[in-house]
Amino acid sequence: MSDVPFGFGPPDRDPERREPGRGDQGGGDPFGLGALFGGMAGGGSPEDVLGKMPLFAELQKLMNWSGGPVNWDLARQGAISQLAAGHQPSSEAERTGAAESLRLADLWLDQVTELPSGIERTAAWSRVEWVEQTQPAWTALIDPLAERVVAAMTSALPQEAAMSFGPIAGIMGRMGGVMFGAQVGQALGKLAEEVLTSTDVGLPLAPAGTGVLVPQNLAAFAEGLDRPADEVRLFVALREAASQRLFAHVPWLRQQLQDAVHAYARGITIDREAIERGINEAMSGGLGGGLDPSDPESIQRLLGSGVLEPEETPEQQMALRRLETLLALVEGWVDTVVAAAAADRLPGHAALAETMRRRRASGGPAEQTFATLVGLQLRPRRLRDAATVWGAMGQQHGSADRDRLWSHPDLLPTSEDLDEPLDFVARQGFDDELAALNADDADRPAQEEPPADDETGEEPGQRP
């Protein structure tokens, strides 16, 4: 999958992975502001510059957005404009095929998991429909991140610098919603070209109870796989149906995933002292020229210097580990139950499962979404370890005990448990035996104590 420039996460910390000429993706301008001010270098106002960009032909009215930190009208418009050239509405035959595949997938899954179906209705979305129908879920996930980024940038500016920036600081505030709206729109457009279902990014994005396939992307995914199209569709339907079961019947799971993202957002801070040093250096000419608030080029140099790069705190690192572990556990469970349901029924299951693993390893929708959203690089090893836990739990303790781990978040393996997945599985059997012994002890009536000598009416030492 190609780059998805959400722009919220910190830039790549590995210099070898940075590519020259990638703008906000490769340097110290993680929020993409350099391009904006660079366009103003000729002395034009933001309205003049943006008015010349095709995507922002009607930007002036969008600048009045007051619906939150992300201009979702602009995001939707940008994503749909990006998809317009290759848009293919779903046909009646595709909708019928999606419904039949999802229903059959649910029947197969009934035999391998204790969790009941989570699908109440089926849908075959076009790419544009995917953007439109998933927007409420994206709003709930992304708005807190964008709001925190803007707040961190504003609060980190020293008072003297804010006064020096004058109109520029005001422009930054006005452009926040537009900037994030443009980036999110571009990202959603890219995702819409690749996602196969409503849960392909690791989160349920469709309205509750709706199982979704994206036929146009399924056709592209099936090319070159040397498997029948209906077999590929059924395999993907199994993954969607399994994910829907998990999120429908583990009510805390969606919230836990969102809380981990938002916990990361709450920790976003920008080093104020670094900004002061950067501004002082810029004013003294140390950044390729002095800082002139009236010169957009000098503003761009400051933004590209890295002083606005957010620092990652220990709390954020904990939130990322929790998010990574949860996503791995979800993906591992889906892999496990789909394999159990399809291994003896779907001739091409092994090849399709390997294709899905390679897709993840090379950066599928879930990996790219969280890498660009919160700087999280999902590690394939975590996914393998999670799948090992679920597979071993099913083999050693049965599907009921395996799925029982989802009954409470404290029962799930932690990141440390995934380091030794088989040890975690072995402990489950020991814990069950210990719980059974404790239950037997609790149910066994206490033995009666022999009466004391003074309760028998006999003199001490006279008892036979």
Side-chain angles (χ1 to χ4, degrees):
M1 184 172 180
S2 54
D3 294 331
V4 185
F6 273 109
F8 296 136
D12 199 329
R13 289 171 171 78
D14 185 353
E16 295 183 358
R17 294 175 60 184
R18 297 184 180 179
E19 300 176 14
R22 290 180 63 195
D24 64 316
Q25 290 293 307
D29 181 11
F31 309 115
L33 297 176
L36 169 64
F37 290 107
M40 295 164 53
S45 68
E47 289 80 2
D48 293 338
V49 174
L50 292 167
K52 298 176 183 177
M53 300 170 65
L55 180 60
F56 301 109
E58 299 182 0
L59 182 67
Q60 282 74 11
K61 67 179 182 181
L62 294 176
M63 287 286 288
N64 296 324
W65 169 263
S66 59
V70 177
N71 188 322
W72 286 101
D73 289 345
L74 179 59
R76 177 181 175 277
Q77 173 187 330
I80 293 176
S81 297
Q82 185 175 325
L83 296 169
H87 174 62
Q88 294 179 12
S90 300
S91 67
E92 183 62 32
E94 288 171 333
R95 287 191 287 271
T96 300
E100 291 176 350
S101 295
L102 288 166
R103 282 197 292 268
L104 180 57
D106 256 344
L107 289 175
W108 288 6
L109 290 170
D110 282 341
Q111 302 175 38
V112 297
T113 175
E114 302 298 311
L115 298 180
S117 173
I119 296 178
E120 300 173 1
R121 66 195 70 85
T122 63
W125 285 347
S126 68
R127 292 170 174 176
V128 169
E129 287 175 318
W130 185 90
V131 169
E132 294 175 331
Q133 295 293 331
T134 62
Q135 182 175 318
W138 288 118
T139 300
L141 184 67
I142 294 175
D143 269 357
L145 281 168
E147 185 175 8
R148 182 57 190 166
V149 168
V150 173
M153 292 173 62
T154 303
S155 63
L157 282 175
Q159 184 175 0
E160 311 82 44
M163 294 175 61
S164 299
F165 273 77
I168 300 298
I171 291 172
M172 289 174 64
R174 291 175 58 203
M175 290 301 299
V178 173
M179 177 185 69
F180 287 122
Q183 290 188 333
V184 169
Q186 184 181 359
L188 293 184
K190 288 180 178 294
L191 282 173
E193 293 175 341
E194 299 197 20
V195 291
L196 305 176
T197 68
S198 69
T199 57
D200 222 7
V201 303
L203 288 168
L205 301 175
T210 305
V212 177
L213 301 183
V214 184
Q216 184 177 356
N217 294 346
L218 268 173
F221 175 70
E223 290 180 0
L225 294 183
D226 196 27
R227 302 304 310 172
D230 57 347
E231 186 176 295
V232 176
R233 185 178 61 234
L234 181 54
F235 171 76
V236 174
L238 280 164
R239 297 185 58 82
E240 171 75 348
S243 297
Q244 291 289 345
R245 287 179 182 236
L246 196 56
F247 284 103
H249 301 290
V250 183
W252 50 264
L253 181 56
R254 181 200 303 252
Q255 191 62 49
Q256 288 262 331
L257 287 165
Q258 290 188 352
D259 286 349
V261 175
H262 296 164
Y264 181 89
R266 286 193 298 272
I268 292 176
T269 58
I270 298 176
D271 189 343
R272 183 167 180 162
E273 293 183 359
I275 290 180
E276 291 177 345
R277 290 193 300 271
I279 290 175
N280 290 335
E281 185 178 356
M283 287 182 171
S284 64
L287 293 177
L291 177 63
D292 179 1
S294 64
D295 179 10
E297 285 188 352
S298 68
I299 304 297
Q300 184 178 5
R301 286 195 297 271
L302 175 63
L303 292 171
S305 68
V307 299
L308 292 182
E309 180 177 328
E311 293 188 327
E312 194 169 271
T313 65
E315 291 76 15
Q316 286 179 296
Q317 293 171 0
M318 289 179 60
L320 289 183
R321 283 197 300 273
R322 177 62 175 164
L323 177 60
E324 180 185 50
T325 300
L326 279 174
L327 289 170
L329 289 171
V330 170
E331 189 75 9
W333 185 86
V334 169
D335 283 354
T336 299
V337 298
V338 168
D344 297 330
R345 297 185 177 96
L346 209 59
H349 167 262
L352 291 170
E354 179 58 30
T355 299
M356 191 63 68
R357 282 191 288 270
R358 289 199 304 267
R359 182 175 184 247
R360 288 197 301 254
S362 62
E367 288 72 22
Q368 286 292 335
T369 296
F370 287 98
T372 54
L373 187 64
V374 293
L376 171 64
Q377 298 289 340
L378 293 180
R379 292 174 289 173
R381 177 174 172 266
R382 295 286 85 177
L383 299 175
R384 291 195 298 271
D385 292 338
T388 298
V389 166
W390 297 122
M393 281 293 300
Q395 292 174 0
Q396 297 183 28
H397 306 292
S399 61
D401 282 349
R402 178 198 65 200
D403 296 345
R404 178 178 54 82
L405 294 179
W406 289 108
S407 62
H408 194 279
D410 290 346
L411 297 178
L412 289 177
T414 63
S415 178
E416 291 74 18
D417 290 329
L418 291 186
D419 292 335
E420 300 291 343
L422 295 180
D423 287 351
F424 172 83
V425 174
R427 287 199 305 273
Q428 302 311 300
F430 176 77
D431 292 343
D432 291 342
E433 293 175 3
L434 184 61
L437 290 173
N438 289 337
D440 289 343
D441 289 342
D443 293 338
R444 185 180 299 116
Q447 294 183 350
E448 294 184 2
E449 295 291 336
D453 287 340
D454 59 355
E455 293 175 350
T456 63
E458 301 174 349
E459 292 297 327
Q462 291 183 354
R463 186 177 305 161

